[in-house]
Amino acid sequence: MPTNDLLTLRLLSGNFGLHIVVDELISKGRAAMSEQTAPIEPGQPSSGVRWRRFAVTLGTVAVGAAGMVVLTAQGVLGAQFAISGMPFTVTADKLEGTGFEQFATLDQMIPDSPNQGDTGGQVVVIVSAIDKAELTNLCQSISLGGINLRITAGGSGKPVTARTLVVDGDEIAGNASFRNINVGQDASTVDQVPGVKGNPGVFAQQADTVTINNLRQNNYATTAAVFTLPNLHMGFSSDGC
């Protein structure tokens, strides 16, 4: 379903047949996993930051917080890591991206994770991948039980920038515009983000560009080849994003 016109939509989990993908994955025994490998950029060191590796208890989070300060990552961040199973909220006044893909997959927790509940250690997620992204007034928060770890960046006219940004979440909301969008493409054939594809037979969509105003996401994992956060502030707060 290609089009050369600007298409304005409202993104919600389940639109554009994403609910079809979720049903399909469940019916196949929740066995499909996509490979999302971020390429190493020439001359860039292969180091990375994984936002989702927050500890369960406040004490261990405080101990590890110093390592979170270095949130400008350059290198490869593999999307195939065991998630903690703790969702986190991300908001932004505006997201602008070049090269956009979206499809569904499964994220895995470690065996017998204390966060698995009745999920069996697997979470059905929507993968949203962007080759080059800018986010204005980014906010990320995770509830730690009575208090939130809150990160803000990208204000004062200096947006957050990312390369090969891959976000796994189960809810997306905002006012979105896509240019040259294909809806219903096979996920194994998407090509807007180098190295990021879904499984054969899985419903996907891709577009040349994406703009989302008033973005709000419920996420389980974020990876990027390069992630730069100007005006970064991190701290504990009674309020989330």
Side-chain angles (χ1 to χ4, degrees):
M1 180 178 156
T3 177
N4 292 321
D5 298 326
L6 182 65
L7 182 60
T8 302
L9 312 164
R10 179 168 177 80
L11 275 180
L12 287 173
S13 176
N15 280 4
F16 285 130
L18 288 173
H19 61 287
I20 297 174
V21 185
V22 171
D23 292 340
E24 178 185 1
L25 287 170
I26 293 174
S27 67
K28 289 183 178 179
R30 305 168 68 92
M33 291 294 294
S34 66
E35 293 188 1
Q36 305 156 15
T37 304
I40 299 177
E41 295 194 354
Q44 302 289 357
S46 58
S47 62
V49 173
R50 292 174 178 175
W51 279 33
R52 291 288 292 112
R53 297 298 178 87
F54 292 111
V56 175
T57 64
L58 178 60
T60 52
V61 168
V63 171
M68 291 287 295
V69 174
V70 188
L71 285 175
T72 300
Q74 294 182 332
V76 173
L77 295 179
Q80 297 284 10
F81 58 82
I83 64 170
S84 72
M86 298 174 65
F88 58 99
T89 299
V90 172
T91 65
D93 289 351
K94 187 175 186 179
L95 178 150
E96 293 181 287
T98 301
F100 173 78
E101 299 174 359
Q102 197 169 62
F103 50 87
T105 189
L106 290 172
D107 279 355
Q108 304 274 354
M109 303 177 207
I110 62 171
D112 301 318
S113 169
N115 299 319
Q116 71 180 30
D118 60 358
T119 67
Q122 296 179 323
V123 180
V124 182
V125 294
I126 304 165
V127 177
S128 300
I130 301 176
D131 186 29
K132 300 177 183 178
E134 289 190 355
L135 299 100
T136 303
N137 291 328
L138 174 71
C139 179
Q140 175 183 290
S141 64
I142 181 169
S143 175
L144 300 173
I147 196 168
N148 295 278
L149 180 59
R150 193 168 184 265
I151 299 171
T152 58
S156 303
K158 296 181 179 179
V160 169
T161 60
R163 289 292 309 272
T164 317
L165 177 65
V166 181
V167 177
D168 295 4
D170 63 357
E171 186 174 354
I172 307 168
N175 298 310
S177 297
F178 302 94
R179 189 172 294 279
N180 294 334
I181 187 170
N182 295 345
V183 179
Q185 185 167 339
D186 190 289
S188 67
T189 68
V190 293
D191 57 7
Q192 287 288 338
V193 184
V196 180
K197 295 181 184 294
N199 285 313
V202 173
F203 184 102
Q205 57 188 24
Q206 70 172 11
D208 289 348
T209 66
V210 58
T211 300
I212 305 178
N213 292 304
N214 301 318
L215 172 68
R216 187 173 188 87
Q217 296 176 303
N218 189 67
N219 295 338
Y220 284 91
T222 298
T223 64
V226 181
F227 211 173
T228 304
L229 294 94
N231 300 316
L232 170 69
H233 179 267
M234 179 176 61
F236 295 106
S237 172
S238 59
D239 299 320
C241 296

